[in-house]
Amino acid sequence: KNEVEQSPQNLTAQEGEFITINCSYSVGISALHWLQQHPGGGIVSLFMLSSGKKKHGRLIATINIQEKHSSLHITASHPRDSAVYICAVRSASNYQLIWGAGTKLIIKP
Amino acid sequence: NAGVTQTPKFQVLKTGQSMTLQCAQDMNHNSMYWYRQDPGMGLRLIYYSASEGTTDKGEVPNGYNVSRLNKREFSLRLESAAPSQTSVYFCASSAGQGAGGYTFGSGTRLTVV
């Protein structure tokens, strides 16, 4: 079983829909990261969380440390949000990142 | 622009050839990393350098060597390329053990034939 599980693996939605991507992990962590990888391949860091909730524009990330679960929400989704969204946790024991396999999001106009 | 610069962006090698992937960051970050990304899989850590002068193996170090040349530069060397090393390689840096988040290079698409 992977230490970081994301769901769904693939998600297709219509423009304007509210999007939720989930991340569950099984190890002790010091932080959780959400990253975005565009079709061109570049990886951009979106959020780093250790507790609570963060918001940046239409993106919201939450984390529940007790339940070992995080969600990434996109409000009023747009075709330019189409990308792979990756959850990664920083291990509390060795500070290395453990990566989820990513969620491929397609937003149709 | 501040960030992580990787070269080359694309490379085709024949089996057995060697090459070095270059990475430089201008954010004064202490830690640097090399990852590979294969289809359908998460990024896997090859090697990392927690600070200048130190390097450590990651999850998949076999077939690779690294050099932390100075605080800015962290290179990845394939001594004898194999088809299994066909992948997209990413360099990343962070202020210190990832405490301040990570900045990634644009990637190197390597094909070994």
Side-chain angles (χ1 to χ4, degrees):
Chain A
K1 188 181 188 301
N2 291 335
E3 293 168 307
V4 179
E5 297 274 1
Q6 284 186 240
S7 63
Q9 285 186 305
N10 296 282
L11 178 57
T12 300
Q14 291 297 132
E15 183 173 357
E17 287 188 34
F18 181 82
I19 303 299
T20 296
I21 299 170
N22 295 299
C23 176
S24 296
Y25 54 91
S26 58
V27 296
I29 70 169
S30 54
L32 182 144
H33 297 259
W34 282 102
L35 306 103
Q36 180 191 56
Q37 186 171 26
H38 274 285
I43 299 173
V44 175
S45 183
L46 298 175
F47 295 105
M48 183 177 71
L49 296 162
S50 54
S51 65
K53 175 180 174 178
K54 286 190 176 179
K55 185 175 188 290
H56 182 69
R58 296 180 293 107
L59 299 177
I60 303 165
T62 64
I63 188 168
N64 184 318
I65 297 293
Q66 286 72 31
E67 294 186 5
K68 294 189 174 181
H69 181 269
S70 175
S71 293
L72 176 69
H73 305 286
I74 305 174
T75 62
S77 60
H78 190 277
R80 64 175 175 266
D81 297 325
S82 298
V84 175
Y85 292 85
I86 306 170
C87 171
V89 300
R90 183 154 56 96
S91 167
S93 59
N94 63 14
Y95 298 102
Q96 293 309 314
L97 282 181
I98 306 169
W99 296 79
T103 294
K104 184 173 183 179
L105 174 66
I106 297 172
I107 304 295
K108 293 185 174 180
Chain B
N1 290 337
V4 177
T5 302
Q6 272 184 251
T7 56
K9 291 193 185 304
F10 300 93
Q11 184 73 49
V12 178
L13 290 178
K14 293 183 179 178
T15 298
Q17 286 185 316
S18 62
M19 78 162 294
T20 300
L21 280 65
Q22 307 286 352
C23 177
Q25 53 91 8
D26 58 7
M27 295 168 289
N28 202 36
H29 282 170
N30 287 321
S31 301
M32 297 184 74
Y33 313 83
W34 276 105
Y35 290 95
R36 60 177 288 172
Q37 186 178 38
D38 300 300
M41 299 181 70
L43 276 77
R44 292 185 291 170
L45 183 65
I46 305 171
Y47 271 93
Y48 68 100
S49 171
S51 61
E52 185 180 359
T54 69
T55 61
D56 286 286
K57 295 179 180 179
E59 183 184 353
V60 288
N62 291 344
Y64 305 95
N65 284 301
V66 291
S67 295
R68 184 74 183 266
L69 303 170
N70 46 56
K71 192 170 186 178
R72 289 187 65 246
E73 298 172 288
F74 189 40
S75 62
L76 178 72
R77 183 160 179 84
L78 287 71
E79 290 291 351
S80 178
S84 61
Q85 293 178 303
T86 294
S87 189
V88 180
Y89 292 84
F90 287 96
C91 177
S93 69
S94 67
Q97 304 278 23
Y102 295 80
T103 302
F104 285 82
S106 57
T108 297
R109 188 173 296 273
L110 175 67
T111 302
V112 183
V113 298

